[in-house]
Amino acid sequence: MPRKARKKSSMNVYHVILRGINQQIIFEDKHDHVQFTLHAGLERVPGVYPWSSYEAYVVTDASFIDVDRVLELFSSHRECMDYLNTDSDEKCMEHVSSYRMSDRAALNVIREQTPCISPSDFQHLELYTRNQYLKMLHHAGISKRQLSRLTGISRTVIDKAVRGV
């Protein structure tokens, strides 16, 4: 019996355990982890978050965390600490608005960027040309579901066209 779907977080932030789906690595290195906690708003100052490994870098001994591999990336312990305490404008988990284009606006984009006026026009295009138009329209902000509805082409075909399969 399948598990129930997770409830969507209003902040789009979820609990991060140790690994992703199929045991995939979530953080490539300690820098990724620190940047994640800072950008996710889990901590404003390194080390405040209760499960942060920051303290292991401050006090480099008597820790069960092996910090040597990360410290080797810096010329000195001081350089590492300066780096960890530097604000970054790197984008990580900033909220991205999920704007949904209206069908009317989507049809205008289709008419402006393609020679197609009706759904049947898309179905008569040469395959490569049709797929290029679908990819371009998706990148212009029209969802795959909406493209399917407005062009009469199945979502599976649109998905393959967008992915370039």
Side-chain angles (χ1 to χ4, degrees), residues 107-162:
L107 284 169
N108 286 337
V109 170
I110 290 170
R111 289 184 183 123
E112 289 169 5
Q113 296 189 16
T114 73
C116 301
I117 309 239
S118 71
S120 63
D121 292 343
F122 268 96
Q123 295 166 5
H124 293 5
L125 288 172
E126 189 267 327
L127 185 67
Y128 177 80
T129 305
R130 180 199 69 192
N131 289 348
Q132 291 302 311
Y133 283 141
L134 292 172
K135 190 173 192 174
M136 176 186 61
L137 293 169
H138 180 65
H139 288 297
I142 303 174
S143 72
K144 293 173 189 172
R145 184 176 300 232
Q146 196 169 28
L147 275 171
S148 176
R149 190 172 57 250
L150 298 175
T151 63
I153 298 171
S154 78
R155 266 196 344 211
T156 304
V157 169
I158 291 171
D159 186 54
K160 287 180 181 178
V162 168

Side-chain angles (χ1 to χ4, degrees), residues 13 57 88 103 147 153:
V13 176
Y57 292 93
S88 172
D103 283 355
L147 275 171
I153 298 171

Side-chain angles (χ1 to χ4, degrees), residues 56-60 71 74-83:
Y57 292 93
V58 175
V59 182
T60 58
L71 290 173
F74 298 92
S75 62
S76 68
H77 182 261
R78 168 80 344 235
E79 183 184 5
C80 178
M81 293 293 87
D82 290 343
Y83 180 77

Side-chain angles (χ1 to χ4, degrees), residues 23-90:
Q23 301 297 308
Q24 293 172 314
I25 296 170
I26 295 174
F27 305 112
E28 291 292 325
D29 54 28
K30 293 291 182 188
H31 168 71
D32 284 351
H33 185 264
V34 170
Q35 291 298 77
F36 171 81
T37 60
L38 291 174
H39 287 295
L42 298 176
E43 58 183 353
R44 297 286 177 224
V45 177
V48 175
Y49 180 61
W51 295 276
S52 173
S53 60
Y54 176 78
E55 195 63 33
Y57 292 93
V58 175
V59 182
T60 58
D61 59 342
S63 172
F64 68 92
I65 299 172
D66 181 14
V67 297
D68 293 335
R69 187 170 176 193
V70 173
L71 290 173
E72 288 172 0
L73 299 172
F74 298 92
S75 62
S76 68
H77 182 261
R78 168 80 344 235
E79 183 184 5
C80 178
M81 293 293 87
D82 290 343
Y83 180 77
L84 291 175
N85 288 296
T86 302
D87 285 337
S88 172
D89 61 355
E90 199 174 309

